[in-house]
Amino acid sequence: MSTVYSEFAQVCQQVKHWPSELRQNLAEEIAKSLAAELPASNGEWNDAKNERRCELIDKDIQGALSAAEGRELESLTQQMRAYRRAVARIPIAGATRLHQQLLEKKRQQQETGGETP
């Protein structure tokens, strides 16, 4: 096991014991840092970008992906996801309603002393 991984594992163990608000703040800061390092999306998603992304995924599976190609793959994946979110939003209103109904059912069962499944 590498020293970097060992240090990473130690930090992860420490962070697990932090209050959830601090962990959320850390996650937001890490996301901002990563977003700042990745190049901005340059245009619409297209077949050429998709083909390049597939090539890089194949190289990754084969274990032949360089660090620069890894960054390129991450950038292309981010661009693809951003494009997908823009053109095909996932409808979550129904799932949100169902979640609220289930939480309400659980609350009612706990109030009446019933068991939750």
Side-chain angles (χ1 to χ4, degrees):
M1 181 169 13
S2 74
T3 304
V4 172
Y5 180 79
S6 177
E7 291 172 1
F8 174 78
Q10 289 174 352
V11 169
C12 286
Q13 288 301 316
Q14 292 173 356
V15 169
K16 285 181 183 180
H17 300 289
W18 290 5
S20 61
E21 183 178 315
L22 287 178
R23 290 193 316 257
Q24 179 65 32
N25 290 343
L26 176 63
E28 290 169 3
E29 289 300 316
I30 291 171
K32 287 179 195 174
S33 173
L34 291 172
E37 290 180 16
L38 293 173
S41 175
N42 52 356
E44 291 286 314
W45 188 250
N46 57 44
D47 289 341
K49 287 181 180 181
N50 192 55
E51 186 175 323
R52 177 63 177 155
R53 183 173 173 272
C54 290
E55 290 171 7
L56 293 171
I57 290 170
D58 288 343
K59 284 185 84 170
D60 188 26
I61 291 169
Q62 295 166 4
L65 195 68
S66 70
E69 289 171 327
R71 290 188 297 275
E72 181 184 2
L73 176 57
E74 179 62 32
S75 175
L76 287 170
T77 300
Q78 184 182 27
Q79 291 175 47
M80 181 268 305
R81 288 178 179 159
Y83 178 72
R84 184 186 65 206
R85 280 191 302 271
V87 299
R89 292 207 172 272
I90 298 172
I92 63 167
T96 301
R97 281 192 305 275
L98 176 60
H99 181 246
Q100 292 302 320
Q101 291 170 355
L102 291 171
L103 289 175
E104 179 61 23
K105 183 176 179 179
K106 180 180 178 181
R107 185 190 61 76
Q108 289 173 353
Q109 286 178 341
Q110 287 174 340
E111 285 178 357
T112 61
E115 296 278 328
T116 55

